[in-house]
Each structure stands twice: as structure tokens, then as C-alpha cells.
Amino acid sequence: MGTLTVNQNKLQKRLRRQAGEAVADFNMIEDGDKVMVCLSGGKDSYTLLDVLMHLQKVAPIKFDIVAVNMDQKQPGFPEHVLPAYLESLGVEYHIVEKDTYSVVKELIPEGKTTCSLCSRLRRGTLYTFADQIGATKMALGHHRDDIVETFFLNMFYNGSLKAMPPKLRADDGRNVVIRPLAYCNEKDIQAYSDFKQFPIIPCNLCGSQENLQRQVVKEMLQEWERKTPGRTESIFRGLQNVVPSQLADRNLFDFTNLRIDESATPRFVNVVNL
């Protein structure tokens, strides 16, 4: 890439710093970990691998990185791109071949959203492979904007206050998922991908679906951000500052047994009659 410009250098340092802070805050990577970096061929996962390879060099702990891409047998998928790129980096990698494309096309009617089923099939395959190679952590490229968008998607369409946690243990307990880019915003990642000239592989399965619920939420947040810069960051901070007593989840807070505390100090002072 040659010498970086001042802005490019600042951007790279910012992404590395934010990723390092997220890793430290949530204890994402520990000494001796084998981190499986899931590569889709998109800007986020390329940036994730780039940042983690730098962290591997400077961190006070030792951990291994193995890059994994899942070839879902989409027509026209350029199978040579990722192996060539990963070999140029000298990083250990695996290509997992699984024809989930045919399954999705068979089960999802034409014109309907494919992302949900595609994601579940891909996740299940990658979970299994991580277990097979002894990976202690699975690193995904989701960033701050993904997390905030998921929060609103769950609230609007599923009636639940959930997002994407920076660190997650799978239901079966066999995998720990980490999201080192949790503090990074999409705009920075796009700019970083552009100047690094990552060999982007588009998703032909769902990339043309313009009316996805996620796209609607993304546009809503972008409009908010234009009108009130910093709002997305504020929402993300809110996800880290939850007050259960101010919500309405009876499983999270004991509203049933909430009573006056008879031992509390009265807040009133003596009133003098005038």
C-alpha cells in the first residue's frame, strides 16, 4: 500500500484502538486462544482479519488466528479470490464447502427475504467447523451499526429488546462468539476497505433484495444521524447502560415484591406553620 496519508493513518489507528478496547472490555481473547475469523469476502470481515492480525503482533498475550470462509455454492462465486488473498497474507485458512444456496432457493419463495435462513444455515455449519478444529473463539465482523440496527429490528418486528452482544456463548455451550469491531462504525470500515483495496466478493444471493427490513432500519438510522449527528453512538451507549427497574420485564426485575422501604429516611423536613 505504500505510505499512508495522514487521514488514512488516523483511520487505521482509530479502528485498531477501538477494536483493542472492545477486546479488552469484554475479555474477548485470552492467552492461548485459537481464534477462528469468519470471512465472507465483505468489507467488515476483511477489516476484522486485518485488525486482529495487527493485534496478534502487539498484544501482550499469544493467540492463534485461522481464517475460515464458507463457500455456499452460489452461482458465479469467485472461488479463487479468498485463497489467493489469504495465501498472500501467510495466514492459516480453510474453505468450508456447503451447498446452502440450493437449500435456501428451494425453501424460500421467489421475492421473499433469504437472509434469515441463509444466516442460520451458515452459522450452524461454522459452529460445527469451529468445534472440529478446536477453535476457542469465533470472530465475526459485525460492527456498531449492525448492533444498533439489530436492536431496532428485534424491537420493531419481534417485540424484544435484544441486539448483538460483543461476546456470546452459543446455546449448546460449545462456541464463544466475539465481535471485536463492536465499537467501530460502518463509515470508518467502508473507508478503510476502500483505501486498503480489499478484494470484495458481493453476495449474489441477497444483495439485490432492496426491501429488506434491515435496510429500512438502516435508512431510518442514517436519516436520524444526518439530522442529529452522534445519535447512533448515543443509542449504542444506551445498550451498555441498561436500567432494569425502568423497563417492564418481570423476569428481569422483581416488580411483584416491590414495596415501600419502612426503614428509609423520610425525605420531608418539619413544616413550620405560619
Side-chain angles (χ1 to χ4, degrees):
M1 290 298 297
T3 304
L4 302 183
T5 66
V6 173
N7 286 337
Q8 288 172 345
N9 188 48
K10 287 182 178 179
L11 173 61
Q12 181 169 261
K13 285 184 176 179
R14 181 163 62 249
L15 288 172
R16 289 175 173 178
R17 173 180 53 79
Q18 290 172 336
E21 288 173 353
V23 168
D25 287 351
F26 293 92
N27 193 30
M28 292 185 188
I29 300 175
E30 300 169 88
D31 193 48
D33 268 341
K34 183 174 185 177
V35 181
M36 184 176 112
V37 181
C38 300
L39 284 180
S40 66
K43 68 182 189 310
D44 305 330
S45 58
Y46 277 124
T47 300
L48 172 67
L49 178 61
D50 183 276
V51 167
L52 286 182
M53 289 182 68
H54 171 74
L55 184 62
Q56 186 184 41
K57 294 176 182 177
V58 302
I61 60 172
K62 300 294 183 182
F63 63 94
D64 295 324
I65 289 176
V66 55
V68 175
N69 168 256
M70 183 174 164
D71 180 355
Q72 298 177 266
K73 297 305 175 183
Q74 297 178 29
F77 181 78
E79 298 179 358
H80 65 286
V81 171
L82 274 168
Y85 176 73
L86 294 170
E87 285 172 10
S88 73
L89 296 179
V91 66
E92 179 186 350
Y93 74 92
H94 299 275
I95 306 296
V96 180
E97 298 186 4
K98 185 81 168 181
D99 187 4
T100 60
Y101 177 86
S102 297
V103 176
V104 171
K105 297 302 286 184
E106 179 182 350
L107 296 179
I108 303 297
E110 191 67 31
K112 296 294 184 180
T113 302
T114 59
C115 290
S116 179
L117 177 59
C118 179
S119 177
R120 288 200 303 273
L121 293 173
R122 184 172 63 249
R123 185 167 58 246
T125 301
L126 291 173
Y127 276 178
T128 300
F129 189 73
D131 205 16
Q132 290 173 351
I133 65 173
T136 53
K137 303 288 172 58
M138 280 179 58
L140 303 182
H142 298 123
H143 45 69
R144 184 202 66 186
D145 299 68
D146 287 327
I147 293 172
V148 173
E149 288 164 14
T150 302
F151 170 71
F152 281 103
L153 280 168
N154 280 313
M155 184 166 59
F156 290 165
Y157 301 106
N158 297 328
S160 62
L161 291 181
K162 295 195 304 182
M164 291 175 172
K167 185 178 182 181
L168 171 73
R169 184 171 63 190
D171 292 340
D172 64 3
R174 297 291 301 173
N175 304 100
V176 173
V177 173
I178 59 174
R179 297 182 169 98
L181 301 183
Y183 290 172
C184 304
N185 68 65
E186 185 173 20
K187 184 179 179 180
D188 280 352
I189 292 171
Q190 182 65 67
Y192 191 67
S193 175
D194 290 343
F195 95 73
K196 291 285 284 188
Q197 298 181 345
F198 294 135
I200 303 298
I201 301 174
C203 177
N204 297 321
L205 181 62
C206 61
S208 61
Q209 295 180 311
E210 298 178 354
N211 296 319
L212 298 177
Q213 293 171 341
R214 181 173 290 275
Q215 185 61 33
V216 173
V217 170
K218 180 186 288 290
E219 291 172 359
M220 177 193 75
L221 290 170
Q222 288 174 344
E223 179 63 20
W224 285 359
E225 193 68 26
R226 280 192 292 270
K227 292 181 177 179
T228 312
R231 177 169 287 186
T232 304
E233 175 63 27
S234 179
I235 294 169
F236 181 73
R237 288 200 307 271
L239 296 178
Q240 303 173 78
N241 188 27
V242 178
V243 185
S245 65
Q246 304 303 301
L247 299 174
D249 189 332
R250 290 171 292 165
N251 294 317
L252 197 61
F253 187 80
D254 186 8
F255 292 100
T256 302
N257 294 308
L258 202 60
R259 301 283 190 277
I260 292 174
D261 182 356
E262 300 290 351
S263 64
T265 303
R267 69 179 65 179
F268 301 108
V269 297
N270 292 329
V271 178
V272 178
N273 292 324
L274 298 178

